[in-house]
Amino acid sequence: MSHRHSHRRGPRADMVPEIAAAVSFVSGLLRTRGCVSEQQLQVFSGALREALTEHYRHHWFPEKPFKGSGYRCIRINHRMDPIISKAAGQIGLSLPQLYRLLPSELTLWVDPYEVSYRIGEDGSICVLYEATRPPSSYGGMLTCKNQMMLGRSTSPSKNYIMTVSS
């Protein structure tokens, strides 16, 4: 495995903790189903970490964390996210197996300083990782996630975590 470092240096140019949180979450979903060995999970985690690092390489803006959020979003919406299916292919998991192991509706936002997810179209948005961001990075931008949260503010609050069933 070759590790190429970004040429950008500065406060938080790396994306290591965010990618680690996303990889750990997806691997954890696979682990809870008990059909994947620990060795397979390690290979899957490594492949997913490499794929996300490569995919996000030119789409990571710590100074404007919401820029590129849609591009970085991992989505399963009755169609498997290609990055997840590619990493799963490394351990011999087929698409039908992945559909059985993972939620049919999953959105995972991987942004500088925050990783969050939602299971189901109406599920709550849960934060997996949060870091303190510099004041200049807040901007006033409405992200697709913020718009969703604002758009749902009139509906009754759903603060439960949905469980995954087969």
Side-chain angles (χ1 to χ4, degrees), residues 16-84:
V16 172
E18 291 88 348
I19 287 178
V23 168
S24 172
F25 177 70
V26 177
S27 297
L29 289 174
L30 292 177
R31 178 179 285 115
T32 59
R33 299 310 286 253
C35 305
V36 182
S37 73
E38 281 304 313
Q39 185 182 353
Q40 285 177 303
L41 281 170
Q42 284 182 1
V43 172
F44 172 81
S45 295
L48 186 57
R49 187 169 41 253
E50 293 268 311
L52 291 176
T53 302
E54 190 55 41
H55 188 65
Y56 297 165
R57 186 171 304 287
H58 301 294
H59 299 271
W60 194 258
F61 310 98
E63 67 288 352
K64 292 181 185 160
F66 303 122
K67 181 179 177 184
S69 183
Y71 179 85
R72 292 187 303 269
C73 181
I74 296 169
R75 187 96 170 92
I76 301 170
N77 183 11
H78 304 289
R79 283 198 313 266
M80 188 56 58
D81 189 280
I83 293 176
I84 291 179

Side-chain angles (χ1 to χ4, degrees), residues 101-148:
L101 295 169
L102 295 173
S104 59
E105 296 276 353
L106 171 69
T107 307
L108 183 59
W109 292 277
V110 184
D111 296 323
Y113 313 109
E114 185 180 299
V115 179
S116 53
Y117 73 95
R118 183 186 66 200
I119 293 176
E121 283 302 306
D122 297 316
S124 294
I125 294 174
C126 304
V127 176
L128 290 168
Y129 169 86
E130 198 164 22
T132 310
R133 60 181 87 177
S136 63
S137 71
Y138 280 100
M141 276 184 50
L142 267 182
T143 65
C144 61
K145 182 173 63 172
N146 290 347
Q147 285 173 327
M148 255 185 266

